[in-house]
Amino acid sequence: MNPPKRLRTDDIEAEAPPGGREEEEEEERAVDVSIVMPMYNASCWLDECLQAVLHQDFTGTMELSVFDDASTDDSRKVVEGWRERLEARGISLVISGHDSAQPRGVGYAKNKAISQSRGQYLCFQDADDVMLPERVRLQYEASLLHPNSLIGCKVQRIPEGSTERYTRWINTISQDQLITQVYTSHGPTVVMPTWFCSRSWSLKVGPFDEGGKGVPEDLLFFYQSIRQGGGVARVDQCLLVYRYHEKAATHSVKEETIWKLRVDFLQERVLSQWESFTIWNAGKQGRKLYRCLSPTNQEKVKAFCDVDENKIQKGFYTYEESKQRPKPKIPVLHYKDASAPFIICVKLDMTGGVLEENLNSLQLKEGIDYFHFN
């Protein structure tokens, strides 16, 4: 039996079946997964990227939605050259873009690629990365279990060893730490090129910030998702080859921009809930955090703690820039003499396990007794 003919959007209202035209239009739109790909001067990577899209083992319906952000190379031509192969595999291609003198930024391009797509789920893909064949299938399954979440995955970084500590962190933090370590300088605990989520969740959280170059649109979106009560989950399998290169948009974001966002988010989510706390690190990073806190939260700092005897022997840290008189003096203690809760300003994975041992010796629980900030 032939399926009923779908209504075109210009068909008159009277012909709509019971259930109304919205249902028909929704059906017209329905694709299980849209692979959302912003693109800017990516022609040298596109063949490998699109070959991987073609090889997905997902059996549902898929489309590839590409928005070209004023590329000056032949990126669009390369993508168009894949149309036939993609469509033969049942993957429809939607591509648009602009040719202004300047790109408008990753946030703008992502928003455009999302708005022209029609998938019930969104799989974010960078044009310079390569997905493994199981990526869409496994993240789709995970999304069904975690509907209001950003789903990530483990990654293989190329060139190998290019960001060793960062890659290890991406792949080894626990499910609990996906939530507790959102304040560290590494940024989102599931990295943006691995994101997968429902369209409805993306629309609730979004859109992406369109400030352009220098704006960490992924971090802002990630924080907003958490504010809205969203979850964070990871498929514990490597599903993406994540490329590191000097032209990546990430490099245009200043460290200070990220620092300020992190401090504000920490104050909003954690410090507002605490009556007092200790900053673990009486050195440069700990003191910088203290100086960047609001006056209310500065008053909550009861001590700095450290393992360095020289710092401990000084006895206290004087906040010289303070307008208060007398200037605030904050005690500096040995960590064994300090009391929880703590904000840890020591770099993760840089003490050969000593920091972790010290925290364990105090029998502290991450996310309750302490949060990592560095």
Side-chain angles (χ1 to χ4, degrees):
M1 180 178 156
N2 290 331
K5 188 182 168 195
R6 286 181 174 171
L7 287 177
R8 293 200 322 273
T9 49
D10 55 357
D11 283 338
I12 56 171
E13 294 289 344
E15 289 176 41
R21 193 160 141 191
E22 287 87 355
E23 246 173 59
E24 280 290 329
E25 286 181 3
E26 199 51 49
E27 190 186 336
E28 189 86 53
R29 285 179 61 80
V31 170
D32 294 324
V33 177
S34 292
I35 296 167
V36 171
M37 194 166 90
M39 178 173 77
Y40 175 68
N41 287 353
S43 64
C44 61
W45 297 298
L46 282 167
D47 283 335
E48 200 180 354
C49 174
L50 298 172
Q51 184 73 47
V53 170
L54 206 61
H55 285 155
Q56 290 303 295
D57 64 11
F58 180 62
T59 54
T61 49
M62 276 191 291
E63 71 171 1
L64 174 63
S65 175
V66 179
F67 186 83
D68 177 32
D69 191 19
S71 291
T72 54
D73 64 3
D74 62 348
S75 291
R76 273 176 93 163
K77 191 176 161 196
V78 174
V79 175
E80 281 293 354
W82 280 83
R83 183 181 290 276
E84 220 171 278
R85 280 168 283 183
L86 289 165
E87 288 176 353
R89 161 73 177 79
I91 302 168
S92 51
L93 172 64
V94 188
I95 180 167
S96 69
H98 69 99
D99 53 9
S100 309
Q102 291 294 324
R104 292 183 190 159
V106 186
Y108 176 82
K110 278 185 190 129
N111 289 337
K112 286 291 191 186
I114 291 167
S115 65
Q116 72 188 15
S117 73
R118 58 206 174 108
Q120 292 177 305
Y121 288 84
L122 306 175
C123 175
F124 291 89
Q125 174 71 20
D126 282 358
D128 52 359
D129 294 334
V130 182
M131 48 169 81
L132 273 69
E134 317 89 316
R135 180 180 175 195
V136 171
R137 173 174 57 86
L138 292 179
Q139 289 193 301
Y140 178 78
E141 288 168 4
S143 261
L144 297 178
L145 297 173
H146 307 278
N148 297 337
S149 295
L150 291 174
I151 311 291
C153 63
K154 292 185 176 183
V155 302
Q156 177 196 341
R157 194 66 148 148
I158 57 168
E160 203 178 327
S162 50
T163 55
E164 212 169 321
R165 284 179 58 235
Y166 179 48
T167 307
R168 184 160 55 238
W169 178 79
I170 293 169
N171 289 337
T172 60
I173 57 173
S174 69
Q175 183 59 51
D176 288 342
Q177 288 170 328
L178 293 177
I179 299 297
T180 60
Q181 292 198 6
V182 296
Y183 310 101
T184 76
S185 54
H186 286 324
T189 49
V190 289
V191 292
M192 201 277 140
T194 72
W195 286 0
F196 192 107
C197 66
S198 69
R199 178 181 213 84
S200 59
W201 186 250
S202 169
L203 293 175
K204 182 173 178 181
V205 175
F208 285 93
D209 188 291
E210 296 187 358
K213 197 171 181 181
V215 173
E217 81 294 326
D218 55 345
L219 184 65
L220 292 167
F221 188 96
F222 182 72
Y223 282 172
Q224 194 54 28
S225 181
I226 290 169
R227 282 190 188 102
Q228 299 266 12
V232 187
R234 184 183 66 211
V235 175
D236 278 333
Q237 213 170 306
C238 175
L239 301 178
L240 187 79
V241 178
Y242 180 23
R243 198 184 303 271
Y244 177 86
H245 59 92
E246 289 308 319
K247 289 180 189 166
T250 318
H251 302 312
S252 72
V253 182
K254 291 189 173 75
E255 216 171 291
E256 276 309 305
T257 306
I258 304 267
W259 171 276
K260 187 178 180 326
L261 288 168
R262 288 167 51 220
V263 172
D264 290 349
F265 199 56
L266 180 75
Q267 294 191 107
E268 174 194 328
R269 307 284 300 177
V270 178
L271 304 186
S272 64
Q273 309 297 309
W274 287 354
E275 286 175 18
S276 63
F277 63 98
T278 302
I279 294 176
W280 189 307
N281 184 354
K284 201 168 151 189
Q285 292 290 299
R287 297 197 305 264
K288 182 181 177 185
L289 173 62
Y290 173 83
R291 290 194 303 272
C292 293
L293 296 175
S294 67
T296 305
N297 285 323
Q298 283 178 347
E299 283 177 22
K300 294 180 183 182
V301 179
K302 54 188 169 186
F304 288 90
C305 75
D306 214 294
V307 292
D308 183 336
E309 284 303 330
N310 292 330
K311 290 176 191 148
I312 295 162
Q313 274 169 10
K314 284 180 185 163
F316 51 83
Y317 161 68
T318 306
Y319 181 29
E320 295 293 354
E321 295 91 339
S322 177
K323 292 183 171 63
Q324 270 180 266
R325 294 294 178 271
K327 292 175 181 177
K329 289 186 171 187
I330 296 91
V332 179
L333 309 171
H334 189 278
Y335 77 90
K336 285 184 178 169
D337 300 322
S339 50
F342 298 95
I343 296 297
I344 314 284
C345 288
V346 179
K347 283 185 181 176
L348 283 161
D349 197 15
M350 287 289 274
T351 62
V354 173
L355 172 68
E356 291 76 5
E357 276 174 32
N358 292 343
L359 288 167
N360 288 338
S361 74
L362 300 177
Q363 296 180 311
L364 302 172
K365 184 162 172 52
E366 186 172 359
I368 295 171
D369 304 310
Y370 69 91
F371 285 88
H372 282 287
F373 186 71
N374 259 37

